[in-house]
Structure formats: C-alpha cells, structure tokens
C-alpha cells in the first residue's frame, strides 16, 4: 500500500510539473493598443505607434545603448570618421541575413538610404546632410556628408535608418519604390516578422528563429487593438494581456499596488514649455522674462495637471538626453523675487496674451494656472485659444506675447533642442519660437553642431545653457513622465526615452 501511495504521489507530481513548466515557458506576449497603425514603410512612417512594429523588423547600422540616448554598434561592427567630419566609413557584420536568406551587405545599406532620400518623406529629414552612399566592398560602406553634422550617428538609429531587403523592388509598381507593398508588409532582417495584420483587430509578429543576435524568448507578439481604456484595464487585471498602452493617468495610478501589476514610470523626452517673444517690449528685457519664470508654480502644475507624473525641466536639455546637467540653473517659484525683477525693469501693470489650442488637452488647465501665478506678481494674462493651424501661423510670424508649446526630439542628440530652439537663423516654426538671438550662444551651439568629439560638445552645450538660463527666452515647465502598466511576469523591458511605445522584444521574456 505504501508503494502504491508513493507511485500515486509521483504520478501527481509528474502531471503538475508540465503545467508549471508551461506557465514558466509562456511565449506569447499580448500588448493592448488603443488604435490601429496606418503604414509600415520605414521610409514613410514617422509615428512611434508605427515604429512599434517596424523597429523590431529592421536592423540599423547603430542602436541605442539600453536606457541611454548614446548609440552603440549594431550592423556596423566599427566605423571611422574623417578629420573634417564629412566621411563616415562603416564596416559591417558578415553574419547577417534577411529573412529570405539573402545576405545583408553594403549594397543593401546603400539601397535603403538611397530609397529613403528618393521617397523624400518625413524620415528623410534626418538625412538632409547625407550627400552620397558609396559601396567600398561587400561589407564596407561609406557615407559622405555635404557638411559636418555631429548628430549623424544618432540619426542612423532612427526608424528611417532601417535596412530593407533590396529584393522588395520586385514588388514596385509605377515607380513607387515598393511603397504600396511595404505599407502593409515588412522585409527586414530583424528579430521579428509580420505574421498577420487584421485591420482594427490585431497585429501579430512572430520571432525570427535565425536572428544573428540570438533567438528571441518570446515567440509571438500580439498587438490587440482595444480602444476603450476601461476594457484595457480589466483585461490587464484579469491576466488576458501583459501590457496595456491606452490607459489614462488616473487608471494607471489606481493600478499601483495591485497584485500582479507593475507600473513603469520614467522621464520621457516630451517637454512642455512656454515661448516668450523676446522681440516684443517689454519682453525684450531679460529681467521681465526672469520675473515670469520665477512666478510659475512648477510643482503645482506637475501635481494638478499630471497627477505628479512629471519632472520639472532643468535647462533646455531634458533628463535622459546626454548633455543634460544637474548643474544648470533651475527657476523656482519666488513671488518676491519676481516682483523685485519687475521693479528693477521699471515695469508696472503688465498685460500679456498667451496663445494655445485644444490640440494638447493639458494646455487649457496649464494656462489657467499660469494666469493665477502671474496675477500674484501683478501681471494680467489673457488666454487666446485658436485652431491649431491658426496658432502655428501666428507663431511663425511672431504674432504673440507668450505661447504654449511641446517638443519631442526626432533623434537622440542635444542638437534637437539647442540648435532648433536657440539658433538665431531658426526663427518661427523652424524651432526658435522665442525669436531669441545671442551671438555668444550662436557661436557655441554652431561649434557643437560640427564637432565630432562628444566631450567637447557637452562642454559647449553646458556653456551655452548657462547663458540661456540667464537670458530666459522660454519658461521650461516639465518633462512628462512615461507611464506603462504591465503584468509583473513580464521581464527584461527597458524603457529608452527615444523609443516610447517601442519594445526591446529581443531581450524580453515572460515568467
């Protein structure tokens, strides 16, 4: 009888172990997304929700290094930059193949970048400095720039830098460079392929078992389209999905502490700030601009508008971007200081107008807070809401006192902030929406834009920021935090501020 009972116990254990192992070896990741995507052509799409699918399908010459905005080798094992900063020579890995077995070589690299430039759509804007791509040999490619452009390596890490199988040209129609085909298909060498796309229902990716970087642990990724945040929340809580992208801030906050749920919160590169028209009197006086910056209740805005899910900016280069420095001056609410600065500027009974639109839902609330803050220092702020197109036209013409603004960089380089926001040749929608001009700042940021030494560029940008924060051409409000709710058994996810809504699927697994 004892022997029989022992055998029975062993049988039960044997039956249970596969079930437990099955749970541990779960290989299908379900991600809830609020809406469908429009296009999958890497030479066309500019939206991160589209990059979510394409970024893991195509390899690039370089890639972001984990959480960092710095780049490291990917397809390119190494590279050299000419002394004049205009010629980049890349030596490629020799073990990379497209999904159909075709070797990924220098010709494929040239084809892909030539195609991006011929298409001339959004992704091509990152490569305006690129003059020519030369094939030196099968695994050596050279990129020649029209002029030195320090952020070039960072541009190569964008979605537009993905290398496409040249055989896609067999699908070309009427000179479209296979755009119609690539709008709904993928032809890369990356760790994931497109298995199925059913409009407004789901997108399914399957692992590439022969990926040169190693076989992915997650074999299938299902992007399930669920528009309703409430439904997403319940599916996540019930374990019917692993990640929910479309939740509201208040829903995510309530999920904190729920068993089996984790909330990822990191500073993003989404920056909210106020343009000050430095060409208009009395805003042409730095003391007046400093007074306005000291009047703002930054923490109050973050607490009430973002429910605490934000970080006050410290200078123009945000946290998470290389070149950011905690030594840069940061304005704090100081009503007495603000009043003193206005008195020193000889300004009384100041009346200002602030532009905004309904394009960004938080702007209306933020304007109301600014209105109250400025009232405390004797400044009357009059809100003016316009249609977004009208607002942009007024910005471009400099027809405003103050204006709400948001910004996200296209590539991971301080150039996206320092040159766009402060170079005096970029007035208006080109980027410098404060119409700010300082020859010393121009000299520093222009030198940084052509230097190929990152330490030197960091020094130049720090010197420029010290001047800028005293000149105060903008009121730097906050960086919006990235929030994502997921099941606690999802492991290996790393958030990169340049890759919001994009997952490092190759490194992820499910316990």
């Amino acid at each position: 009888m004892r022997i029989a009972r022992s055998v029975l116990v062993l049988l039960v254990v044997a039956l249970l172990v596969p079930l437990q192992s099955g749970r541990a070896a779960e290989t299908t990741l379900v991600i809830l997304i609020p809406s469908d995507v429009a296009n999958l052509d890497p030479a066309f799409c500019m939206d991160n929700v589209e990059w979510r699918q394409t970024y893991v399908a195509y390899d690039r010459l370089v890639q972001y290094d984990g959480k960092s905005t710095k780049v490291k080798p990917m397809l390119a094992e190494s590279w050299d930059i000419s002394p004049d900063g205009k010629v980049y020579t890349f030596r490629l890995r020799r073990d990379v193949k497209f999904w159909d077995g075709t070797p990924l070589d220098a010709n494929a690299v040239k084809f892909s970048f030539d195609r991006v430039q011929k298409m001339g759509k959004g992704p091509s804007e990152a490569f305006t400095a690129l003059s020519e791509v030369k094939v030196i040999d099968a695994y050596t490619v050279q990129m020649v720039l029209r002029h030195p452009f320090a952020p070039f390596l960072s541009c190569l890490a964008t979605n537009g830098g993905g290398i496409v199988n040249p055989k896609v040209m067999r699908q070309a129609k009427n000179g479209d460079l296979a755009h119609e085909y690539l709008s709904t298909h993928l032809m890369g060498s990356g760790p994931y392929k497109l298995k199925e796309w059913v409009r407004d229902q789901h997108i399914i990716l399957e692992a590439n078992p022969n990926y040169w970087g190693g076989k992915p642990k997650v074999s299938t990724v299902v992007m399930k389209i669920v528009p309703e945040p409430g439904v997403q929340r319940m599916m996540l809580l019930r374990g019917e999905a692993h990640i929910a992208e479309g939740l509201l801030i208040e829903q995510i906050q309530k999920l904190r502490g729920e068993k089996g749920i984790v909330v990822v919160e990191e500073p993003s590169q989404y920056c909210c700030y106020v343009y000050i028209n430095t060409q208009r009197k009395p805003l042409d006086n730095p003391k007046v601009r400093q007074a306005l910056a000291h009047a703002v209740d930054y923490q109050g805005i973050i607490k009430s508008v973002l429910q605490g899910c934000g970080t006050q900016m410290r200078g123009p280069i945000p946290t998470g971007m290389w070149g950011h420095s905690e030594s840069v001056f940061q304005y704090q609410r100081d009503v007495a200081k603000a009043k003193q600065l206005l008195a020193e500027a000889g300004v009384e009974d100041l009346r200002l107008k602030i532009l905004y639109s309904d394009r960004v839902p938080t702007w209306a609330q933020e304007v109301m807070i600014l209105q109250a803050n400025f009232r405390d220092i004797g400044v009357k702020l009059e809100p003016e809401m316009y249609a977004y197109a009208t607002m942009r036209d007024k910005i471009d013409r400099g027809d405003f006192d103050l204006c709400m603004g948001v910004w996200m960089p296209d590539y991971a380089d301080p150039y996206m902030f320092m040159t766009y926001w402060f170079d005096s040749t970029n007035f208006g929608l080109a980027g410098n929406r404060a119409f700010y001009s300082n020859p010393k700042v121009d000299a520093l940021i222009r030198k940084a834009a052509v230097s190929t030494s990152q330490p030197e560029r960091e020094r130049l940008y720090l010197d420029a920021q010290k001047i800028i924060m005293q000149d105060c051409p903008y009121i730097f409000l906050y960086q919006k935090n990235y929030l994502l709710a997921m099941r606690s058994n999802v492991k290996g996810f790393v958030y990169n501020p340049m890759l919001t809504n994009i997952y490092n699927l190759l490194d992820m697994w499910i316990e």
Side-chain angles (χ1 to χ4, degrees), residues 79-91 145 150 153 452:
W79 56 84
D80 298 318
I81 305 173
S82 64
D84 65 2
K86 293 200 293 184
V87 181
Y88 288 67
T89 304
F90 297 92
R91 287 168 286 278
L145 307 189
L153 283 175
T452 56

Side-chain angles (χ1 to χ4, degrees), residues 466-496:
K466 290 176 180 177
I467 299 171
I468 288 163
M469 294 311 293
Q470 291 304 307
D471 286 349
C472 196
Y474 301 99
I475 300 173
F476 301 109
L477 295 178
Y478 60 78
Q479 291 173 244
K480 186 177 180 180
N481 285 1
Y482 170 77
L483 293 169
L484 183 68
M486 63 175 64
R487 300 293 304 181
S488 57
N489 62 338
V490 176
K491 305 297 180 182
F493 172 69
V494 175
Y495 171 70
N496 185 291

Side-chain angles (χ1 to χ4, degrees), residues 164-423:
V164 179
N165 190 335
K167 287 185 179 179
V168 75
M169 289 303 291
R170 297 173 182 174
Q171 307 294 334
K173 296 179 180 178
N174 302 317
D176 74 342
L177 298 174
H179 170 61
E180 181 181 338
Y181 180 81
L182 284 177
S183 294
T184 56
H185 296 79
L186 300 171
M187 281 193 69
S189 60
Y192 285 88
K193 314 174 187 180
L194 179 64
K195 181 179 181 179
E196 183 179 73
W197 180 7
V198 179
R199 291 280 188 181
D200 299 317
Q201 292 188 36
H202 61 249
I203 301 167
I204 300 177
L205 305 179
E206 62 179 355
N208 171 13
N210 302 312
Y211 186 58
W212 61 269
K215 183 180 178 180
K217 298 182 180 69
V218 174
S219 62
T220 306
V221 181
V222 179
M223 313 284 188
K224 195 167 186 178
I225 299 163
V226 180
E228 301 83 5
V231 177
Q232 283 204 18
R233 177 180 173 275
M234 291 307 301
M235 291 180 69
L236 187 68
L237 284 170
R238 289 196 295 254
E240 296 170 11
H242 298 97
I243 298 173
E245 282 189 11
L247 301 182
L248 305 175
I249 290 179
E250 52 266 29
Q251 291 176 318
I252 293 176
Q253 297 290 52
K254 290 177 181 178
L255 286 173
R256 294 182 190 272
E258 286 278 356
K259 185 177 180 181
I261 302 292
V262 295
V263 174
V264 177
E265 182 173 0
E266 299 280 354
S268 73
Q269 296 292 291
Y270 180 102
C271 299
C272 183
Y273 60 128
V274 179
Y275 318 147
I276 304 175
N277 191 337
T278 61
Q279 302 290 320
R280 284 195 172 184
K281 292 185 179 297
L283 298 175
D284 59 340
N285 186 330
K287 288 189 175 183
V288 176
R289 302 195 296 266
Q290 291 169 10
L292 298 179
H294 274 301
V296 176
D297 182 4
Y298 299 92
Q299 299 309 317
I301 290 175
I302 291 169
K303 183 178 179 180
S304 61
V305 178
L306 302 179
Q307 298 187 33
C309 299
T311 305
Q312 183 185 347
M313 292 184 70
R314 182 179 289 277
I317 301 178
T319 300
M321 176 68 73
W322 70 264
H324 172 82
S325 174
E326 288 296 310
S327 68
V328 174
F329 178 76
Q330 184 183 58
Y331 284 89
Q332 301 291 342
R333 179 165 167 82
D334 187 335
V335 172
K337 178 71 172 176
K339 288 180 176 179
Q340 177 189 335
L341 286 164
L342 287 177
E344 291 174 3
V347 173
E348 296 179 353
D349 300 320
L350 181 58
R351 293 171 177 264
L352 298 171
K353 294 180 179 181
I354 184 166
L355 299 186
Y356 73 104
S357 79
D358 60 1
R359 183 178 177 86
V360 177
T362 59
W363 276 349
Q365 189 178 356
E366 288 160 8
V367 165
M368 289 179 63
I369 294 172
L370 292 173
Q371 193 175 31
N373 291 164
F374 289 177
R375 189 183 303 122
D376 292 340
I377 65 168
V379 175
K380 183 175 181 180
L381 185 64
E382 180 183 341
E384 289 190 326
M385 189 178 86
Y386 289 92
Y388 187 59
T390 304
M391 174 180 162
R392 284 176 61 84
D393 179 64
K394 291 175 78 69
I395 291 169
D396 201 36
R397 292 186 286 109
D399 184 16
F400 65 93
D401 296 328
L402 307 177
C403 182
M404 298 300 298
V406 294
W407 188 271
M408 284 189 72
D410 293 332
Y411 44 84
D413 195 285
Y415 178 97
M416 283 296 308
F417 296 90
M418 300 299 289
T419 295
Y420 279 83
W421 287 3
F422 305 110
D423 194 301

